[in-house]
Coordinates of all heavy atoms in Angstrom, one line a residue:
M1 N -1.0 12.6 -69.0 CA -0.2 12.5 -67.8 C 1.1 11.9 -68.2 O 1.2 10.9 -68.8 CB -1.0 11.7 -66.8 CG -0.4 11.7 -65.6 SD -1.6 11.3 -64.4 CE -0.9 10.2 -63.4
N2 N 2.1 12.4 -67.6 CA 3.5 12.0 -67.9 C 3.9 10.9 -66.9 O 4.0 11.2 -65.7 CB 4.5 13.2 -67.8 CG 5.8 12.8 -68.4 OD1 6.2 11.6 -68.5 ND2 6.8 13.8 -68.3
T3 N 4.0 9.7 -67.2 CA 4.3 8.6 -66.3 C 5.8 8.6 -65.7 O 6.1 8.1 -64.8 CB 4.1 7.2 -66.9 OG1 5.0 7.2 -68.0 CG2 2.7 7.0 -67.3
Q4 N 6.6 9.4 -66.4 CA 8.0 9.6 -66.1 C 8.2 10.3 -64.7 O 9.0 10.0 -63.9 CB 8.8 10.3 -67.1 CG 10.2 10.1 -67.0 CD 10.7 8.8 -67.5 OE1 9.9 7.8 -67.6 NE2 12.0 8.6 -67.6
Q5 N 7.2 11.2 -64.3 CA 7.3 12.0 -63.1 C 6.7 11.2 -62.0 O 7.1 11.5 -60.9 CB 6.5 13.2 -63.3 CG 7.1 14.2 -64.3 CD 6.3 15.4 -64.5 OE1 5.1 15.4 -64.1 NE2 6.8 16.5 -65.0
T6 N 5.8 10.2 -62.1 CA 5.2 9.5 -61.0 C 6.0 8.2 -60.6 O 5.6 7.6 -59.6 CB 3.8 9.2 -61.4 OG1 3.8 8.3 -62.5 CG2 2.9 10.4 -61.6
R7 N 7.0 7.9 -61.4 CA 7.8 6.6 -61.0 C 8.9 6.9 -59.9 O 9.4 8.0 -60.1 CB 8.4 6.1 -62.3 CG 7.3 5.4 -63.2 CD 7.9 4.9 -64.4 NE 9.1 4.0 -64.2 CZ 10.0 3.7 -65.1 NH1 9.8 4.2 -66.2 NH2 11.1 3.1 -64.9
F8 N 9.1 6.1 -59.1 CA 10.2 6.2 -58.1 C 11.5 5.5 -58.6 O 11.3 4.4 -59.3 CB 9.8 5.6 -56.8 CG 8.8 6.3 -56.1 CD1 7.4 5.8 -56.0 CD2 9.0 7.5 -55.5 CE1 6.5 6.5 -55.4 CE2 8.0 8.2 -54.9 CZ 6.7 7.7 -54.7
D9 N 12.5 6.1 -58.5 CA 13.9 5.4 -58.8 C 14.2 4.5 -57.7 O 14.4 5.0 -56.5 CB 15.0 6.4 -59.0 CG 16.2 5.8 -59.5 OD1 16.2 4.7 -60.0 OD2 17.3 6.5 -59.3
T10 N 14.2 3.2 -57.9 CA 14.5 2.2 -56.9 C 15.8 2.3 -56.1 O 15.9 2.2 -54.9 CB 14.3 0.8 -57.5 OG1 13.1 0.6 -58.1 CG2 14.4 -0.2 -56.4
K11 N 16.8 2.6 -56.8 CA 18.2 2.8 -56.3 C 18.1 4.1 -55.4 O 18.7 4.0 -54.2 CB 19.3 2.9 -57.3 CG 19.7 1.6 -57.9 CD 21.1 1.9 -58.6 CE 20.8 2.3 -60.1 NZ 21.9 2.4 -60.9
S12 N 17.5 5.2 -55.8 CA 17.5 6.3 -55.0 C 16.7 6.1 -53.7 O 17.0 6.5 -52.6 CB 16.9 7.6 -55.7 OG 17.8 7.9 -56.8
L13 N 15.6 5.4 -53.8 CA 14.8 5.0 -52.7 C 15.4 4.2 -51.6 O 15.4 4.5 -50.5 CB 13.5 4.4 -53.2 CG 12.4 4.0 -52.1 CD1 11.9 5.3 -51.4 CD2 11.3 3.2 -52.6
L14 N 16.1 3.2 -52.1 CA 16.9 2.3 -51.2 C 18.1 3.1 -50.6 O 18.4 2.9 -49.4 CB 17.4 1.1 -51.9 CG 16.3 0.0 -52.3 CD1 16.9 -1.1 -53.1 CD2 15.6 -0.5 -51.1
L15 N 18.8 3.8 -51.3 CA 19.9 4.6 -50.8 C 19.4 5.7 -49.7 O 20.1 5.8 -48.7 CB 20.7 5.4 -52.0 CG 21.8 6.2 -51.7 CD1 22.8 5.1 -51.0 CD2 22.4 6.8 -52.8
G16 N 18.4 6.3 -50.0 CA 17.8 7.2 -49.1 C 17.3 6.6 -47.8 O 17.5 7.1 -46.7
A17 N 16.7 5.4 -47.9 CA 16.3 4.7 -46.7 C 17.5 4.2 -45.9 O 17.5 4.2 -44.6 CB 15.4 3.5 -47.1
A18 N 18.5 3.8 -46.6 CA 19.7 3.3 -45.8 C 20.4 4.4 -45.2 O 20.9 4.3 -44.0 CB 20.6 2.6 -46.8
L19 N 20.5 5.6 -45.9 CA 21.1 6.7 -45.3 C 20.2 7.3 -44.0 O 20.9 7.6 -43.0 CB 21.2 7.9 -46.2 CG 21.9 9.1 -45.8 CD1 23.3 8.9 -45.3 CD2 21.9 10.2 -46.9
G20 N 19.0 7.2 -44.2 CA 18.1 7.6 -43.0 C 18.3 6.7 -41.9 O 18.4 7.1 -40.7
A21 N 18.4 5.4 -42.1 CA 18.6 4.5 -41.0 C 20.0 4.7 -40.3 O 20.1 4.7 -39.1 CB 18.5 3.0 -41.5
V22 N 21.0 5.0 -41.1 CA 22.3 5.2 -40.5 C 22.3 6.5 -39.6 O 22.8 6.4 -38.5 CB 23.4 5.4 -41.6 CG1 24.7 5.9 -41.1 CG2 23.7 4.0 -42.3
V23 N 21.6 7.5 -40.1 CA 21.5 8.8 -39.3 C 20.7 8.5 -38.1 O 21.1 9.0 -36.9 CB 20.8 9.9 -40.1 CG1 20.4 11.0 -39.2 CG2 21.8 10.3 -41.3
M24 N 19.6 7.8 -38.1 CA 18.8 7.4 -36.9 C 19.6 6.7 -35.9 O 19.6 7.0 -34.7 CB 17.6 6.7 -37.4 CG 16.6 7.5 -38.1 SD 16.0 9.0 -37.2 CE 15.0 8.1 -36.0
F25 N 20.3 5.6 -36.4 CA 21.1 4.9 -35.3 C 22.3 5.6 -34.8 O 22.6 5.5 -33.7 CB 21.6 3.5 -36.0 CG 20.5 2.5 -36.3 CD1 20.2 2.0 -37.5 CD2 19.8 2.0 -35.1 CE1 19.2 1.1 -37.7 CE2 18.8 1.1 -35.4 CZ 18.5 0.6 -36.6
S26 N 22.9 6.6 -35.5 CA 24.0 7.2 -35.1 C 23.5 8.3 -33.9 O 24.2 8.6 -33.0 CB 24.8 7.9 -36.1 OG 24.0 8.9 -36.8
V27 N 22.4 8.9 -34.2 CA 21.8 9.9 -33.2 C 21.4 9.1 -32.0 O 21.7 9.6 -30.9 CB 20.6 10.6 -33.8 CG1 19.8 11.4 -32.8 CG2 21.1 11.5 -35.0
A28 N 20.8 8.0 -32.1 CA 20.4 7.1 -31.0 C 21.6 6.8 -30.2 O 21.6 6.7 -28.9 CB 19.5 6.0 -31.5
A29 N 22.7 6.5 -30.8 CA 23.8 6.0 -30.1 C 24.5 7.0 -29.4 O 25.2 6.8 -28.3 CB 24.9 5.4 -31.1
T30 N 24.5 8.3 -29.8 CA 25.1 9.4 -29.1 C 24.2 10.0 -28.0 O 24.8 10.8 -27.2 CB 25.5 10.5 -30.1 OG1 24.4 10.9 -30.8 CG2 26.5 10.0 -31.2
T31 N 23.0 9.8 -28.0 CA 22.1 10.5 -27.0 C 21.7 9.6 -25.9 O 20.8 9.9 -25.1 CB 20.8 11.0 -27.7 OG1 20.1 10.0 -28.4 CG2 21.2 12.1 -28.7
T32 N 22.3 8.4 -25.8 CA 22.0 7.6 -24.6 C 22.7 8.1 -23.4 O 23.9 7.9 -23.3 CB 22.3 6.1 -24.9 OG1 23.7 6.0 -25.2 CG2 21.5 5.5 -26.0
A33 N 21.9 8.7 -22.5 CA 22.6 9.3 -21.2 C 21.9 8.6 -20.0 O 20.8 8.2 -20.1 CB 22.3 10.7 -21.2
T34 N 22.6 8.5 -19.0 CA 22.1 8.0 -17.8 C 21.3 9.1 -17.0 O 21.8 10.3 -17.1 CB 23.2 7.4 -16.9 OG1 24.2 8.5 -16.6 CG2 23.9 6.3 -17.5
R35 N 20.3 8.7 -16.5 CA 19.4 9.7 -15.7 C 19.8 9.8 -14.2 O 20.2 8.7 -13.7 CB 18.0 9.3 -15.8 CG 17.4 9.4 -17.2 CD 16.0 9.1 -17.2 NE 15.3 10.0 -16.3 CZ 14.0 10.3 -16.3 NH1 13.3 9.7 -17.2 NH2 13.4 11.1 -15.5
T36 N 20.0 10.9 -13.7 CA 20.4 11.0 -12.3 C 19.1 10.9 -11.4 O 18.0 11.5 -11.7 CB 21.0 12.4 -12.1 OG1 22.1 12.6 -13.0 CG2 21.4 12.6 -10.7
T37 N 19.2 10.1 -10.4 CA 18.2 10.0 -9.5 C 18.4 10.7 -8.2 O 19.4 10.7 -7.7 CB 17.9 8.4 -9.1 OG1 18.3 7.6 -10.2 CG2 16.6 8.1 -8.7
W38 N 17.4 11.5 -7.9 CA 17.6 12.4 -6.7 C 16.8 11.9 -5.5 O 15.7 11.3 -5.7 CB 17.2 13.9 -7.1 CG 17.9 14.5 -8.2 CD1 17.6 14.6 -9.5 CD2 19.2 15.0 -8.1 NE1 18.4 15.2 -10.3 CE2 19.6 15.4 -9.5 CE3 20.2 15.2 -7.1 CZ2 20.7 16.1 -9.8 CZ3 21.3 15.9 -7.5 CH2 21.7 16.3 -8.8
E39 N 17.3 12.3 -4.3 CA 16.6 12.1 -3.1 C 16.4 13.5 -2.6 O 17.3 14.4 -2.6 CB 17.2 11.2 -2.1 CG 18.5 11.5 -1.6 CD 19.1 10.6 -0.6 OE1 18.3 10.0 0.2 OE2 20.4 10.4 -0.6
Y40 N 15.2 13.8 -2.0 CA 14.9 15.2 -1.6 C 14.7 15.1 0.0 O 14.3 14.2 0.6 CB 13.7 15.7 -2.2 CG 13.8 16.0 -3.6 CD1 13.7 14.9 -4.6 CD2 14.3 17.2 -4.1 CE1 13.9 15.2 -6.0 CE2 14.5 17.4 -5.4 CZ 14.3 16.4 -6.4 OH 14.4 16.7 -7.7
R41 N 14.9 16.3 0.6 CA 14.8 16.5 2.1 C 14.2 18.0 2.2 O 14.7 18.9 1.6 CB 16.2 16.4 2.6 CG 16.3 16.7 4.0 CD 17.7 16.5 4.4 NE 18.1 16.9 5.7 CZ 19.2 16.8 6.2 NH1 20.2 16.2 5.6 NH2 19.5 17.3 7.5
T42 N 13.3 18.1 3.2 CA 13.0 19.4 3.6 C 13.6 19.8 5.0 O 13.6 19.0 5.8 CB 11.4 19.5 3.8 OG1 10.9 18.4 4.6 CG2 10.7 19.3 2.4
V43 N 14.0 21.0 5.0 CA 14.6 21.5 6.2 C 13.8 22.6 6.8 O 13.7 23.7 6.1 CB 16.0 22.1 5.9 CG1 16.7 22.5 7.1 CG2 16.9 21.0 5.2
P44 N 13.1 22.5 7.9 CA 12.3 23.5 8.5 C 13.1 24.5 9.4 O 14.3 24.1 9.8 CB 11.3 22.7 9.4 CG 12.0 21.6 9.8 CD 13.0 21.2 8.7
G45 N 12.6 25.6 9.6 CA 13.4 26.6 10.5 C 12.6 28.0 10.6 O 11.7 28.2 9.8
Q46 N 13.0 28.7 11.6 CA 12.4 30.0 11.8 C 13.1 31.0 10.7 O 14.3 31.0 10.7 CB 12.7 30.4 13.2 CG 11.9 31.6 13.7 CD 11.9 31.8 15.1 OE1 12.7 31.2 15.8 NE2 11.1 32.7 15.6
V47 N 12.1 31.7 10.1 CA 12.7 32.6 9.2 C 13.4 33.9 9.8 O 14.4 34.3 9.3 CB 11.5 33.1 8.3 CG1 12.0 34.1 7.2 CG2 10.9 31.9 7.4
L48 N 12.7 34.4 10.8 CA 13.3 35.4 11.5 C 14.5 35.0 12.3 O 14.5 33.9 12.9 CB 12.3 36.1 12.5 CG 10.9 36.6 11.9 CD1 10.1 37.1 12.9 CD2 11.3 37.7 10.9
G49 N 15.5 35.8 12.3 CA 16.8 35.3 12.8 C 17.6 34.5 11.7 O 17.4 34.8 10.5
N50 N 18.4 33.6 12.1 CA 19.2 32.9 11.2 C 19.1 31.4 11.2 O 19.9 30.7 10.8 CB 20.7 33.3 11.3 CG 21.4 33.1 10.1 OD1 20.9 32.8 9.0 ND2 22.7 33.0 10.2
E51 N 18.0 30.9 11.9 CA 17.7 29.5 12.1 C 17.8 28.7 10.8 O 18.4 27.7 10.7 CB 16.6 29.3 13.1 CG 16.4 27.7 13.4 CD 15.1 27.5 14.2 OE1 14.8 28.5 15.0 OE2 14.5 26.4 14.1
L52 N 16.8 29.2 9.9 CA 16.8 28.4 8.7 C 18.0 28.5 7.8 O 18.4 27.5 7.2 CB 15.6 29.1 7.8 CG 15.3 28.3 6.6 CD1 14.9 26.9 6.7 CD2 14.1 29.1 5.8
G53 N 18.7 29.6 7.8 CA 19.9 29.6 7.0 C 21.0 28.8 7.6 O 21.7 28.1 6.8
Q54 N 21.0 28.7 8.9 CA 22.0 27.7 9.6 C 21.7 26.2 9.2 O 22.6 25.4 9.1 CB 22.0 27.9 11.0 CG 22.7 29.2 11.5 CD 22.7 29.4 12.9 OE1 21.9 28.9 13.7 NE2 23.4 30.5 13.4
A55 N 20.4 26.0 9.2 CA 19.9 24.6 8.9 C 20.3 24.2 7.4 O 20.7 23.1 7.1 CB 18.5 24.5 9.1
I56 N 20.1 25.2 6.6 CA 20.5 25.1 5.1 C 22.0 24.9 5.0 O 22.4 23.9 4.3 CB 20.1 26.3 4.3 CG1 18.5 26.3 4.2 CG2 20.6 26.2 2.9 CD1 18.0 27.5 3.6
N57 N 22.7 25.7 5.6 CA 24.2 25.4 5.6 C 24.7 24.2 6.2 O 25.6 23.5 5.7 CB 25.0 26.7 6.3 CG 24.8 28.0 5.5 OD1 24.6 28.0 4.4 ND2 24.8 29.0 6.3
A58 N 24.0 23.7 7.2 CA 24.4 22.4 7.8 C 24.1 21.3 6.8 O 24.8 20.3 6.7 CB 23.7 22.2 9.1
S59 N 23.0 21.4 6.1 CA 22.7 20.3 5.1 C 23.6 20.4 3.9 O 23.9 19.4 3.4 CB 21.2 20.6 4.6 OG 20.3 20.4 5.7
V60 N 24.0 21.6 3.5 CA 25.0 21.7 2.4 C 26.3 21.0 2.8 O 26.9 20.3 2.0 CB 25.2 23.1 2.1 CG1 26.4 23.3 1.2 CG2 23.9 23.7 1.4
T61 N 26.7 21.1 4.1 CA 28.0 20.5 4.4 C 27.9 18.9 4.5 O 28.9 18.3 4.3 CB 28.4 21.0 5.9 OG1 27.4 20.7 6.9 CG2 28.8 22.4 5.9
E62 N 26.6 18.5 4.6 CA 26.4 17.0 4.5 C 26.3 16.5 3.0 O 26.0 15.2 2.9 CB 25.2 16.7 5.3 CG 25.2 17.0 6.8 CD 23.9 16.8 7.5 OE1 22.9 16.3 6.8 OE2 23.8 17.0 8.6
G63 N 26.3 17.4 2.0 CA 26.3 16.9 0.6 C 25.0 17.2 0.0 O 24.8 16.8 -1.1
W64 N 24.1 17.9 0.6 CA 22.8 18.3 0.1 C 22.9 19.6 -0.8 O 23.8 20.4 -0.4 CB 21.8 18.5 1.1 CG 21.4 17.2 1.8 CD1 21.9 16.7 2.9 CD2 20.4 16.3 1.5 NE1 21.4 15.4 3.3 CE2 20.4 15.2 2.3 CE3 19.4 16.3 0.4 CZ2 19.5 14.1 2.3 CZ3 18.6 15.2 0.3 CH2 18.6 14.2 1.2
E65 N 22.1 19.7 -1.8 CA 22.2 20.8 -2.7 C 20.9 21.6 -2.5 O 19.8 21.0 -2.4 CB 22.2 20.4 -4.1 CG 22.3 21.4 -5.2 CD 22.3 20.9 -6.5 OE1 22.9 19.7 -6.7 OE2 21.7 21.5 -7.5
F66 N 21.0 23.0 -2.3 CA 19.7 23.8 -2.1 C 19.0 23.9 -3.4 O 19.5 24.1 -4.4 CB 20.2 25.2 -1.7 CG 19.1 26.2 -1.5 CD1 18.3 26.1 -0.4 CD2 18.8 27.1 -2.5 CE1 17.3 27.1 -0.3 CE2 17.8 28.0 -2.5 CZ 17.0 27.9 -1.3
V67 N 17.7 23.7 -3.2 CA 16.7 23.8 -4.5 C 15.8 25.0 -4.3 O 15.8 25.8 -5.3 CB 15.9 22.5 -4.6 CG1 14.9 22.6 -5.8 CG2 16.7 21.3 -4.7
S68 N 15.2 25.2 -3.2 CA 14.1 26.2 -3.1 C 13.9 26.5 -1.6 O 14.1 25.6 -0.8 CB 12.9 25.8 -3.8 OG 11.9 26.8 -3.7
A69 N 13.3 27.6 -1.3 CA 12.9 27.9 0.0 C 11.5 28.6 0.0 O 11.2 29.3 -1.0 CB 13.8 28.8 0.7
A70 N 10.6 28.5 1.0 CA 9.4 29.2 1.2 C 9.1 29.4 2.5 O 9.6 28.7 3.4 CB 8.4 28.3 0.4
S71 N 8.1 30.3 2.8 CA 7.7 30.4 4.1 C 6.3 29.8 4.2 O 5.5 29.9 3.4 CB 7.6 31.9 4.5 OG 6.8 32.7 3.6
S72 N 6.1 29.2 5.4 CA 4.7 28.5 5.7 C 3.9 29.5 6.4 O 2.6 29.4 6.3 CB 4.9 27.2 6.3 OG 5.7 27.4 7.5
T73 N 4.4 30.2 7.3 CA 3.8 31.3 8.2 C 4.7 32.5 8.1 O 5.7 32.5 7.5 CB 3.5 30.8 9.5 OG1 4.7 30.6 10.2 CG2 2.7 29.5 9.6
E74 N 4.4 33.5 8.8 CA 5.2 34.7 8.9 C 6.5 34.4 9.5 O 7.5 35.0 9.2 CB 4.4 35.7 9.7 CG 3.3 36.4 8.9 CD 2.7 37.5 9.7 OE1 3.3 38.1 10.6 OE2 1.6 37.8 9.3
Q75 N 6.6 33.4 10.5 CA 7.9 33.3 11.2 C 8.6 32.0 10.8 O 9.8 31.8 11.1 CB 7.5 33.3 12.7 CG 7.1 34.4 13.2 CD 6.9 34.5 14.8 OE1 7.3 33.4 15.4 NE2 6.3 35.5 15.3
W76 N 7.8 31.1 10.2 CA 8.4 29.8 9.9 C 8.5 29.5 8.4 O 7.6 29.9 7.7 CB 7.7 28.6 10.6 CG 7.8 28.7 12.2 CD1 7.0 29.3 12.9 CD2 8.8 28.1 12.9 NE1 7.5 29.2 14.3 CE2 8.6 28.4 14.3 CE3 10.0 27.4 12.6 CZ2 9.5 28.1 15.2 CZ3 10.9 27.0 13.7 CH2 10.6 27.4 15.0
G77 N 9.5 28.8 8.0 CA 9.6 28.4 6.7 C 10.4 27.1 6.5 O 10.7 26.4 7.5
F78 N 10.6 26.8 5.2 CA 11.3 25.6 5.0 C 12.0 25.6 3.7 O 11.8 26.4 2.9 CB 10.3 24.4 4.9 CG 9.4 24.5 3.8 CD1 9.6 23.8 2.5 CD2 8.2 25.1 3.9 CE1 8.8 24.0 1.5 CE2 7.2 25.2 2.9 CZ 7.6 24.6 1.6
A79 N 13.1 24.7 3.5 CA 14.0 24.7 2.4 C 13.8 23.3 1.7 O 13.8 22.3 2.5 CB 15.4 25.1 2.7
V80 N 13.9 23.2 0.5 CA 14.0 21.9 -0.1 C 15.5 21.7 -0.6 O 16.0 22.5 -1.3 CB 13.0 21.9 -1.3 CG1 13.1 20.5 -2.0 CG2 11.6 22.2 -0.9
M81 N 15.9 20.6 -0.1 CA 17.3 20.2 -0.5 C 17.2 18.9 -1.4 O 16.4 18.0 -1.3 CB 18.1 19.9 0.7 CG 18.0 21.1 1.8 SD 18.7 22.6 1.2 CE 20.4 22.3 1.4
R82 N 18.3 18.7 -2.1 CA 18.4 17.4 -2.9 C 19.9 16.9 -3.0 O 20.8 17.7 -2.8 CB 17.9 17.5 -4.3 CG 18.8 18.3 -5.3 CD 18.2 18.4 -6.6 NE 19.1 19.0 -7.5 CZ 18.9 19.2 -8.7 NH1 17.8 18.8 -9.3 NH2 19.9 19.8 -9.5
R83 N 20.1 15.6 -3.2 CA 21.4 15.1 -3.5 C 21.2 13.9 -4.4 O 20.0 13.3 -4.3 CB 22.1 14.7 -2.2 CG 21.6 13.7 -1.4 CD 22.6 13.5 -0.3 NE 21.9 12.4 0.6 CZ 22.4 12.2 1.9 NH1 23.4 12.9 2.4 NH2 21.8 11.3 2.7
E84 N 22.2 13.5 -5.0 CA 22.2 12.3 -5.9 C 22.0 11.0 -5.0 O 22.6 10.8 -4.0 CB 23.4 12.2 -6.7 CG 23.4 11.2 -7.8 CD 24.6 11.2 -8.7 OE1 25.3 12.1 -8.6 OE2 24.8 10.2 -9.4
K85 N 21.0 10.3 -5.4 CA 20.7 9.1 -4.8 C 21.8 8.0 -4.9 O 22.3 7.8 -6.0 CB 19.4 8.4 -5.1 CG 18.7 7.5 -4.2 CD 17.3 7.2 -4.6 CE 16.6 6.3 -3.5 NZ 15.2 6.2 -3.7
K86 N 22.2 7.4 -3.7 CA 23.3 6.5 -3.8 C 22.9 5.0 -3.8 O 21.8 4.7 -3.4 CB 24.2 6.7 -2.7 CG 24.9 8.1 -2.8 CD 25.7 8.4 -1.6 CE 26.2 9.8 -1.6 NZ 26.9 10.3 -0.6

């Protein structure tokens, strides 16, 4: 068995560990982002006609963002709105 192949070069090992630490710290420093906190609101309305659409538009003018809409029965539905929590 050749002992030359199983030995580690100490300088290379330390240099590799130092380089790995620098890369990890630089990646961690660039990826620190603030998380946005949202508040949610449901807007009910009649699907037939334009009641739900008007309720959604009224919420948008107040700063709410449309997320999703669904119907709960054949005539009634609701929309989910969100905005950044202050």
Side-chain angles (χ1 to χ4, degrees):
M1 183 157 138
N2 189 355
T3 59
Q4 199 70 351
Q5 292 177 345
T6 58
R7 290 179 45 199
F8 292 106
D9 184 23
T10 307
K11 277 197 275 184
S12 295
L13 182 64
L14 291 175
L15 184 60
L19 183 60
V22 167
V23 169
M24 291 298 289
F25 285 120
S26 66
V27 167
T30 59
T31 59
T32 55
T34 58
R35 294 183 57 161
T36 304
T37 325
W38 300 100
E39 60 180 328
Y40 291 88
R41 168 180 175 180
T42 56
V43 179
Q46 191 170 9
V47 176
L48 301 175
N50 200 17
E51 184 180 326
L52 183 58
Q54 290 173 351
I56 292 170
N57 290 335
S59 294
V60 168
T61 59
E62 295 174 6
W64 292 89
E65 179 182 331
F66 175 78
V67 176
S68 177
S71 60
S72 57
T73 64
E74 288 184 18
Q75 294 182 8
W76 293 92
F78 63 94
V80 177
M81 312 294 285
R82 75 176 183 181
R83 69 178 172 189
E84 190 173 346
K85 196 169 190 175
K86 297 175 184 176

